[in-house]
Amino acid sequence: MTCCPSSARPQGSPDPIRFAPAQRDLSDRVTLPGGSFRMGTDDKILPQDGEYPARKTRLRPFAIDSCAVTAARFARFIDDTGYTTDAESFGWSFVFHGLMDRPEDHEPLAGLEWWRKVDGACWRTPEGPATDLEGREEHPVTHVSWRDATAFASWAGGRLPTEAEWEFAALGGRETARYPWGDEDPQDTGFLPCNIWQGRFPDHNTGADGYRGTAPACSFAPNGYGLYNMVGNTWEWTADRFRIRSVAKAAKIRNAEAARTDARTVKGGSFICHRSYCYRYRIAARSSNTPDTTLSHTGFRLCYDVRT
């Protein structure tokens, strides 16, 4: 079961547009030392996603944004380049029903009825034409495709992180951990370290953590590296194509489908994740989507090469 529907837009996905780096894009970023670590997990929680088993991985030093790219920062990119996002180009995007005043006005997605295809939904009108970003300028930008994120990265002088870089950063200097803060599970009440779902999915979210949609990009306590919201809030695109390291028949079928659609890996889970439905707000957890898919719970942060 997945919480990330794919657009399946028939036009296909051309290569992302590239821009010359802009000198005025500045972000709060953290330089990480790299080195060896164990990527993935030996816990057989969702082995069908390819998160099992853990494996030794080595990384060069790199820098990473302390939080996801915000709507305000993305707006500067749009103003500077005139770029048109995939959602704007196609004229619609997927919106989570719990964010809408009248979800019944929009046809539900078969099998994932909590998603609605909304005409006019995009990064600047997240729930459709009647909405805007007022009060959400410092929230993560959403309704951005992998192509959009890659275009932004070229303008910002960065790149999307690899899945390994993302996991290393999320660990915050720990050798192993289920979450950026350690191994203690979030709860529906009491311990609320990140922005996920509390209540009964998909119809009742208590919002006990303070949010029923996205939270500001720099909210909740940061991890040991000073990075915010590495799990929960919004899924984050990575540079990597999605692949499961297994010879099992089911893995081969899923890998073939991912290759056919050029699916890219997303990490971190989102505000609609709950253990009863989508237990993917763990560091090792992973999912995927097509490069042109846009959703109200998917954003990104950037990495930067470091000279050594």
Side-chain angles (χ1 to χ4, degrees), residues 96 101 105 120 126 160 201 218 265 272 275 280 284 286 296 305:
F96 180 67
D101 290 333
D105 291 347
L160 292 177
F201 187 85
C218 288
T265 303
I272 70 169
R275 187 163 186 162
R280 293 184 176 90
R286 59 206 299 265
S296 54
D305 293 327

Side-chain angles (χ1 to χ4, degrees), residues 12-227:
S13 299
D15 292 334
I17 295 172
R18 308 281 180 170
F19 295 97
Q23 297 301 313
R24 66 190 185 94
D25 179 69
L26 300 175
S27 65
D28 182 16
R29 60 190 70 166
V30 179
T31 299
L32 305 184
S36 296
F37 80 110
R38 286 179 63 78
M39 178 181 175
T41 180
D42 287 323
D43 296 330
K44 294 184 179 180
I45 297 174
L46 292 173
Q48 68 271 25
D49 286 350
E51 61 184 41
Y52 170 90
R55 55 201 178 274
K56 189 174 181 180
T57 304
R58 185 168 185 84
L59 296 173
R60 295 178 179 273
F62 64 98
I64 188 169
D65 287 337
S66 64
C67 65
V69 173
T70 63
R73 187 178 171 200
F74 195 79
R76 292 194 293 272
F77 159 65
I78 298 295
D79 290 344
D80 194 44
T81 64
Y83 179 80
T84 301
T85 64
D86 276 338
E88 291 171 296
S89 177
F90 288 111
W92 62 273
S93 188
F94 286 121
V95 177
F96 180 67
H97 74 156
L99 303 178
M100 305 171 67
D101 290 333
R102 293 184 55 83
E104 64 273 13
D105 291 347
H106 303 273
E107 184 177 355
L109 182 65
L112 295 170
E113 287 75 14
W114 43 91
W115 287 107
R116 308 296 165 105
K117 178 182 174 182
V118 177
D119 290 341
C122 67
W123 73 273
R124 67 176 86 233
T125 53
E127 289 80 54
T131 63
D132 58 34
L133 291 171
E134 184 176 358
R136 293 187 281 181
E137 294 88 349
E138 298 306 317
H139 287 224
V141 67
T142 57
H143 297 287
V144 286
S145 67
W146 183 89
R147 289 179 2 93
D148 300 333
T150 301
F152 176 95
S154 68
W155 172 82
R159 56 180 174 79
L160 292 177
T162 65
E163 184 177 5
E165 287 173 328
W166 190 98
E167 284 199 22
F168 181 88
L171 283 167
R174 299 173 183 268
E175 289 188 12
T176 61
R178 182 166 290 186
Y179 308 106
W181 56 84
D183 293 323
E184 184 178 357
D185 292 326
Q187 303 167 356
D188 280 2
T189 60
F191 185 55
L192 302 165
C194 62
N195 181 20
I196 56 175
W197 189 277
Q198 293 92 41
R200 184 186 65 252
F201 187 85
D203 300 317
H204 180 60
N205 184 2
T206 68
D209 59 25
Y211 303 95
R212 290 185 173 86
T214 59
C218 288
S219 54
F220 297 90
N223 73 357
Y225 284 146
L227 308 179

